[in-house]
Every structure is written in C-alpha cells, then in structure tokens.
Amino acid sequence: MRCKAILIAAAMLALPLAASAQVPEIKLAQQFSMGYLQLNVMEHQKLIEKHAKLLGIPEVKVSWHTFNGPAAVNDALLSGNIDIASGGVPGLLVLWAKTKGTPQEVRGVAALSSQPFLLNTRNPDVKTIKDFKEGDRIAVPAVKVSVQAIMLQMAAAKAFGDKDFAKLDVQTVSMSPPDATLALLGGKSEVNAAFSVPPFQYQQLEAPGIHTVINSFDVMGGSHSFTVAWTSAKFRDANPVLYKALIAALHEATDIINKDKTAASALWIADAKSKLPPEMVAKVVAGPQVRWTLVPEATMKFADFMTAVGTLKVKAASWKDYFFPEVYDLKGS
C-alpha cells in the first residue's frame, strides 16, 4: 500500500514537469508569390528558433505551409491549423472585421513588403481596363477576395464609376499565379489576362505579345503594402514570449534581405523549386519599386474602399485598429 502511495505521489509530481517540458509550436502560412521573403529567410536560418532561445525558450517547433488565396489562409487560421497567416491587405481586413471584439480577434503582425502587382494580357486590343470585352477572362488568386480582385474593383470604380466597381467581377476566375501564368502563356486557355504577383508577372512579360494593362501603384496613387502577416489575439496572448521572438525574427530577416537581396532571392528559388533564372529573380527582389519593410503602407486606402462598397462591415479609423501594438512605433498608414 505504501509503495502504491509513493508511486501515485511520484506520478503527480511528474505532471507539472511533463507540462513544462512541452515544446511550444508556431505554424506559419504564406501564398504563391515572392512577397514573403522574410518567411523564406526565417525558415532557412531558423530565426524564430534563434530568438526564442535568446528569450528563454530552448526549443520551439516551427512549421511552414503554403496556400492559394486569402480564403484558404483565413480558414486555416480560424480552425487552428496555422497560427500566423500572410497575404494581401484585404485578407487581413476581412478577418479583422469578422472577428473584431471577440477573443479570437485577428490583427496584423507587420507588413512584409511594398511592391506593385500587374494585370497583364495577351489580348492586343486591351490597352486599358475599359477595353475588356465579355469574352475576356482574368485570372486572380481568388475571385472577389484576393488583393488582386479588390484592386481590380478599385480600378473599375475609377474607370466606370463607383456604382460599377464590380463590373468585371464576372470575368474573373480563381487560379494560382503559377497556373495562371501557364494559362496566359499557353495561348489556348480562355484565360487571356492575369492579375498576378512577382516573379510570375515579370515572367509573363518576357513572352511575345504580353503587355501590362494595370500597375497597382497607378490605381493606388503610389506605393502600397503588397504583403502583410496577421494572427489572432488568442495566439498572441497565449504565447507572449514566442510572439516577441516572431517580431525579432521578422526584423532580422528584413535586415538580411536588404543587405543581400541576391542571396535572399536564392532562398525563394529553393523553396519554390523555381526554374526561373536566378538573375531574373534577383532583379525582381531588388526592383526599383520594391521595398522590404515591416511598415504598413497605404493600407487604409484598401480599408476605406472596402468599407465604402460594403465588403467590410466595420469601419477602421486608423491602420492601428487592425494591427497589434508592436508596430505602432512605425510610421504606418
């Protein structure tokens, strides 16, 4: 009886030790493009693990996932299959508005890059957005919800008037950027235009007969955030030290990219298993309109438009409404 009591006591003492020995985990997601270089650098150089260790977490399990489109990313975040989402600004805004005021409220972690995305076509008759006809089909990563789909609506509102912002929605089809590029260049698909992402948009332009109809910077009236990362208050509150490690890793990864863009571009090639020439990819990473920065830029222009057309049911007064405080000291917009 005494031996049994000792065994039970020993087992009870071991329970806290087992719990404390549990390895924390963080699951990150990105989409198809070169807008997530910080994540490529963080994975290859194990920066989250490095900063977690510096902050007193000796071991952390880090996993990486790729999705096509914000809907898939946000579903994964809400279901707990990932902890950190990333994509275009509208993906963040939609989930922020949906979860605002709940324990699961989602906000931005930081921006990742500011760079343009292009609407390219092989139709020689399409010079401006007004030239698209009923038979034209435009590929976007996800209809109506991807940053490209929202940008197309913003361009349509300027071209046709605010009431006709959705005029071209019926001509959009959902396709991953790699598949959209194959369809556009193949010449046999009904898809004859693609609102894409780097580096695929530049690969398209190297083919004869492909030209650009829209540069997103022109629609926005200047530079804007292309990719951002977001998470839930639930994850941030439950993992304060790990979240600090994530922020530190993002800062270090951004510095690494800006110090050696060619080396960073090689990491994207490795992760994407891309067959694109390394010189081309490096040129895209170091492009004159490309900035690798954690500063949110012109995100309120997306928020204001999406609120005006009814896509967002919650109005933001400032970019700080939908980002967590760790980036408040940056000169965001």
Side-chain angles (χ1 to χ4, degrees):
M1 189 74 177
R2 183 181 178 188
C3 290
K4 184 177 180 181
I6 292 173
L7 288 173
I8 292 173
M12 292 181 68
L13 286 171
L15 285 175
L17 293 175
S20 64
Q22 185 176 358
V23 176
E25 183 177 9
I26 182 170
K27 297 165 286 187
L28 300 94
Q30 58 181 304
Q31 299 177 46
F32 292 99
S33 94
M34 199 184 284
Y36 310 92
L37 268 187
Q38 285 95 333
L39 304 188
N40 299 117
V41 172
M42 286 158 60
E43 179 178 5
H44 280 264
Q45 300 201 14
K46 298 187 180 300
L47 295 184
I48 294 177
E49 295 91 328
K50 169 188 170 180
H51 287 282
K53 191 172 184 178
L54 290 172
L55 291 169
I57 303 177
E59 187 179 355
V60 57
K61 182 180 178 181
V62 183
S63 57
W64 306 87
H65 308 270
T66 303
F67 296 85
N68 181 51
V73 170
N74 282 342
D75 286 345
L77 183 63
L78 290 176
S79 66
N81 289 324
I82 62 170
D83 303 306
I84 308 298
S86 58
V89 175
L92 159 63
L93 291 171
V94 166
L95 204 52
W96 165 73
K98 182 177 180 179
T99 60
K100 189 176 185 298
T102 72
Q104 190 75 353
E105 181 172 337
V106 168
R107 292 193 185 191
V109 176
L112 298 175
S113 71
S114 289
Q115 55 185 305
F117 44 96
L118 310 177
L119 173 56
N120 296 329
T121 185
R122 66 168 184 259
N123 186 342
D125 296 327
V126 177
K127 306 299 182 185
T128 74
I129 191 175
K130 290 184 176 182
D131 297 326
F132 281 112
K133 304 301 182 185
E134 189 175 324
D136 293 308
R137 290 293 177 267
I138 305 166
V140 295
V143 298
K144 294 188 177 182
V145 295
S146 64
V147 64
Q148 291 85 354
I150 298 298
M151 188 63 67
L152 187 63
Q153 291 182 345
M154 296 172 80
K158 286 188 172 185
F160 305 113
D162 292 343
K163 291 182 179 180
D164 288 323
F165 75 94
K167 182 179 178 70
L168 297 177
D169 283 6
V170 294
Q171 293 173 238
T172 60
V173 295
S174 293
M175 269 188 158
S176 71
D179 288 340
T181 298
L182 290 174
L184 183 62
L185 299 184
K188 296 181 180 180
S189 168
E190 65 174 357
V191 172
N192 60 3
F195 218 156
S196 196
V197 296
F200 304 105
Q201 60 193 19
Y202 301 110
Q203 179 188 12
Q204 297 161 11
L205 289 172
E206 291 193 343
I210 306 295
H211 65 276
T212 298
V213 181
I214 292 175
N215 179 312
S216 63
F217 278 16
D218 294 334
V219 178
M220 294 285 277
S223 180
H224 62 79
S225 287
F226 169 48
T227 44
V228 296
W230 59 92
T231 190
S232 66
K234 180 180 179 181
F235 175 81
R236 175 176 171 270
D237 293 345
N239 303 275
V241 179
L242 186 54
Y243 191 81
K244 287 181 181 178
L246 170 67
I247 295 295
L250 283 168
H251 278 286
E252 184 174 358
T254 304
D255 290 341
I256 289 172
I257 294 169
N258 287 319
K259 287 176 182 175
D260 193 340
K261 295 183 173 67
T262 299
S265 67
L267 298 182
W268 180 85
I269 291 174
D271 287 348
K273 297 179 175 58
S274 174
K275 296 181 180 179
L276 292 175
E279 298 79 10
M280 174 195 171
V281 176
K283 184 178 178 180
V284 172
V285 171
Q289 291 185 307
V290 178
R291 289 190 300 112
W292 302 99
T293 175
L294 302 185
V295 181
E297 184 178 13
T299 63
M300 278 295 294
K301 290 186 178 181
F302 286 107
D304 289 343
F305 173 79
M306 293 171 69
T307 302
V309 300
T311 305
L312 289 185
K313 305 303 181 184
V314 180
K315 182 174 177 58
S318 161
W319 68 274
K320 293 181 179 179
D321 288 352
Y322 46 84
F323 275 90
F324 284 119
E326 284 77 8
V327 292
Y328 284 1
D329 61 333
L330 303 180
K331 295 181 179 179
S333 59

